[in-house]
Amino acid sequence: MSDKFDVIVIGAGPAGYVAAIRAAQLGLKTACVDAFVGKDGKQALGGTCLNVGCIPSKALLDSSKQYFNLAHNLPAHGISVENAKVDMATFIGRKDKIVKQFTGGIGQLFKANKVTPFFGKGKLLKGNNVEITGNDGSKQTISATNVILASGSVPIELPFAKFDGKNIIDNAGALDITEVPKRLGVIGAGVIGLELGSVWNRLGAQVTILEALPDFLAVADQDVAKIAKKEFEKQGLTIKLGAKLTKAEVKKNEVALTYEDKDGAHELTVDKLLVAVGRRAYTEGLLADDTGVKLDERGRIVVDEHNHTGVDGVWAIGDAVRGPMLAHKGSEEGVAVAEWIAGKAGHINLDTVPWVIYTEPEIAWAGKTEKELKELGIPYKVGTFPFAAIGRAVAMNEAIGQVKVLAHAETDRLLGVHMVGPGVSELIAEAVVAMEFKGSAEDLARIVHAHPTLSEAVHEAALSVDKRAIHKGN
C-alpha cells in the first residue's frame, strides 16, 4: 500500500470522518487518522460525539425520560405503573451498545468508500507529511497533497477542581455513573450541564447547577431561556446564577464546594461533581513547529472563510476552528472542504447553523437573538405563539413553551427563529431551510402546515409577526 494520499484527515469525529467519506466519494485517495480508544481497547471512530458526547447522552436522555414519564406523565393519560425501578447495568449497557453500533458503522462506511483508517495520534509535519504515533509508541509517516485538521475539542478543566474520574468528572464520566448519586453538583448551565443534569435529576438525584454568569443561557434568546429555566426548576433542578465556584475538595467520597455569589460565600456538599464549563480546541501535539499553521489566542486553528489555513494544502474544520462547537457544523465544514479540494463549490453558512439543547422541554434556535439585533441596530419585528394553544401539544400533555420569530422590520426577511417546547429539535429545520433560501416571515405564514401538528406553532408565530395569528389574540 502506498503511503501517498490525495487527502489525509487527522481526526475521525463528525467533522473528520464526514470529510474523509466525502473526499473519497469525489475520487480522492483518502486516509483518516484517529487515536480514540473504545471500552474494548480498540479504535473507536466517531470522536467525542459518538463515543462520549452527542449519541450516548441522547441515549441516556431518552432512557431517563421513559422512567420519568412512568411517574409524572403517564398518570395524566390514565396509565399507572407501580414500583418502577432502573437497572443501572442495563441503563448504561444500552447506551454502550448504541455507541458500538455507530462507531462500527463508520468503520463499515470507510470500507465501502475505500477510506484507509490509521490508528494513532496524527501530527502535521512540514510539507504535508503526517506522523502517526500508535498507542504502543510506534511511529510511521504518510503524506498527502491535502491535509484536513479535525482534531476536535476537550473539556475545560478548572485548576481547583481537576477531573479524577470518580468524584469530579467530565462529560464522559457523567455518562458512566453506575449508581444514581444522591446529590450531584454541576458547574455550568450550558448544553452539557443541562442535558446531563436532567438525566440524573429524572432518576432521582438532587441536582444543583452553579452558573457563574448572571443570565441563564445567555447565548439563547432570553424569552426562550426564561421559559426553560422556570420549567427546569419545576422539574426539581436547582439553578443558582451568578455563582462562581472557588474551591472543590474531595473528602470521604464527597465533594465539598465553596462558591460565591452576590450574597457572599456559600458551601455545598455533593456526592459527585460534573464540571461542564465549556470546551477548548484540542491542538496539543497536532502541529510541528515549522508547519506555518497558526493558532489564535484561544488555541484554535486560524482559517479563512473557506477553512484554509494559509499553508498550501492544509485545511482545518470542526471544534478546532472558529464558530460554534457543534457536530453538524463540523460535518458540513468537512463536506465543504472536501468539495473545495475537488474543485467543486462547497458551502457552509455559519449564520444559519441550528443550536439544540435536548432537555425537556427541548430548546432550539437559528439566527440572531433579539438582544443581538438590538446591539447591531437592526430594525426588527416579533411574532410568538405558545404550544399551549396547539392541539397536538395539548393532546401529548407537553404544552410547555413557544415559538418566536424575528423578521426584519422593513424587508420581512427572517433574522432568527427561537423555540422551546416539544420536538423543537426537529421543528427548527424548517426555519433553517427558510433562512437559507432568504425567506421571509410571510413565506412561513403562507406555507400550509398539517393539522394537528406541532409545526403549526411555527406557522402561527410567523403570522403573529404581522399581528394576524388566528389562534391567539394579536
Side-chain angles (χ1 to χ4, degrees):
M1 180 183 66
S2 171
D3 58 2
K4 176 69 176 179
F5 295 87
D6 297 315
V7 176
I8 298 171
V9 183
I10 299 179
Y17 87 74
V18 170
I21 290 172
R22 184 62 183 133
Q25 287 177 344
L26 293 166
L28 301 169
K29 185 181 178 183
T30 305
C32 187
V33 182
D34 193 82
F36 205 103
V37 180
K39 283 188 171 183
D40 59 2
K42 299 178 181 178
Q43 183 177 34
L45 302 170
T48 292
C49 179
L50 256 65
N51 286 281
V52 292
C54 321
I55 301 305
S57 65
K58 303 312 165 287
L60 294 190
L61 278 163
D62 190 72
S63 293
S64 64
K65 179 182 177 180
Q66 305 304 327
Y67 176 74
F68 186 83
N69 282 343
L70 289 176
H72 299 276
N73 290 334
L74 291 186
H77 295 272
I79 303 169
S80 60
V81 178
E82 295 182 1
N83 301 319
K85 297 179 181 179
V86 176
D87 179 85
M88 290 305 298
T90 303
F91 184 82
I92 298 297
R94 173 181 178 271
K95 177 263 297 182
D96 290 341
K97 184 178 179 181
I98 291 170
V99 168
K100 186 72 174 175
Q101 175 185 337
F102 279 92
T103 57
I106 295 174
Q108 293 301 314
L109 289 171
F110 275 9
K111 286 182 181 179
N113 288 282
K114 296 182 173 57
V115 174
T116 303
F118 287 87
F119 191 11
K121 183 174 174 58
K123 180 177 184 178
L124 178 67
L125 308 177
K126 187 176 181 180
N128 295 2
N129 294 305
V130 173
E131 180 184 77
I132 303 169
T133 302
N135 291 338
D136 60 357
S138 62
K139 294 181 183 293
Q140 62 177 311
T141 301
I142 58 177
S143 63
T145 307
N146 292 275
V147 177
I148 303 174
L149 306 173
S151 52
S153 62
V154 292
I156 294 173
E157 187 174 47
L158 297 174
F160 48 85
K162 290 187 174 296
F163 303 128
D164 62 16
K166 182 180 178 183
N167 298 103
I168 302 177
I169 55 179
D170 59 8
N171 61 290
L175 294 167
D176 274 330
I177 297 175
T178 56
E179 183 178 343
V180 179
K182 183 177 179 181
R183 302 159 298 177
L184 174 66
V186 179
I187 308 303
V191 176
I192 295 172
L194 289 173
E195 289 185 355
L196 294 178
S198 292
V199 167
W200 298 106
N201 174 63
R202 291 174 191 164
L203 297 182
Q206 179 184 329
V207 179
T208 302
I209 300 177
L210 304 180
E211 170 55 58
L213 295 175
D215 297 320
F216 180 69
L217 276 181
V219 69
D221 188 272
Q222 285 306 289
D223 285 343
V224 162
K226 183 178 179 181
I227 294 170
K229 181 175 182 290
K230 182 178 180 180
E231 189 61 22
F232 296 154
E233 290 176 332
K234 190 184 298 183
Q235 294 169 7
L237 289 173
T238 299
I239 302 171
K240 297 182 180 293
L241 301 177
K244 184 177 181 180
L245 183 70
T246 57
K247 186 178 180 181
E249 188 176 3
V250 178
K251 298 178 179 179
K252 296 181 179 179
N253 236 15
E254 296 180 333
V255 188
L257 309 179
T258 302
Y259 68 92
E260 296 179 354
D261 61 15
K262 58 182 177 60
D263 298 320
H266 307 270
E267 294 183 350
L268 175 69
T269 300
V270 297
D271 299 298
K272 288 189 181 294
L273 179 67
L274 166 61
V275 178
V277 295
R279 300 179 65 85
R280 61 178 178 81
Y282 177 58
T283 52
E284 284 84 356
L286 177 66
L287 306 168
D289 293 336
D290 57 355
T291 63
V293 176
K294 295 181 174 58
L295 303 179
D296 66 13
E297 68 283 354
R298 294 169 59 181
R300 300 174 302 185
I301 301 166
V302 177
V303 294
D304 62 16
E305 68 274 16
H306 291 103
N307 289 79
H308 194 258
T309 65
V311 176
D312 190 35
V314 181
W315 315 72
I317 58 177
D319 285 4
V321 303
R322 79 287 179 267
M325 288 184 170
L326 299 170
H328 43 280
K329 172 262 194 182
S331 293
E332 292 307 314
E333 284 180 328
V335 170
V337 166
E339 292 177 347
W340 283 322
I341 289 172
K344 297 184 178 296
H347 169 80
I348 177 70
N349 180 6
L350 298 182
D351 291 332
T352 56
V353 173
W355 291 67
V356 179
I357 304 177
Y358 296 88
T359 45
E360 292 289 333
E362 292 182 340
I363 304 166
W365 70 92
K368 303 293 186 187
T369 64
E370 191 168 355
K371 180 182 178 182
E372 288 172 330
L373 294 177
K374 286 179 179 178
E375 291 174 347
L376 293 168
I378 298 174
Y380 66 92
K381 47 189 177 178
V382 183
T384 63
F385 197 81
F387 281 103
I390 295 296
R392 180 70 187 278
V394 174
M396 293 166 57
N397 199 38
E398 296 184 44
I400 299 296
Q402 71 170 16
V403 174
K404 179 177 180 178
V405 173
L406 301 169
H408 197 285
E410 298 164 2
T411 67
D412 198 43
R413 181 173 170 179
L414 290 169
L415 301 173
V417 180
H418 307 268
M419 309 175 177
V420 55
V424 299
S425 59
E426 304 292 342
L427 297 183
I428 195 63
E430 176 183 9
V432 174
V433 170
M435 293 171 71
E436 272 292 314
F437 282 93
K438 317 301 181 188
S440 65
E442 178 75 5
D443 290 324
L444 283 181
R446 289 195 177 275
I447 294 172
V448 178
H449 290 69
H451 172 77
T453 62
L454 298 175
S455 68
E456 290 177 281
V458 179
H459 186 222
E460 291 272 6
L463 286 166
S464 174
V465 168
D466 289 316
K467 311 299 181 188
R468 55 194 183 99
I470 302 298
H471 294 95
K472 76 161 193 172
N474 291 295

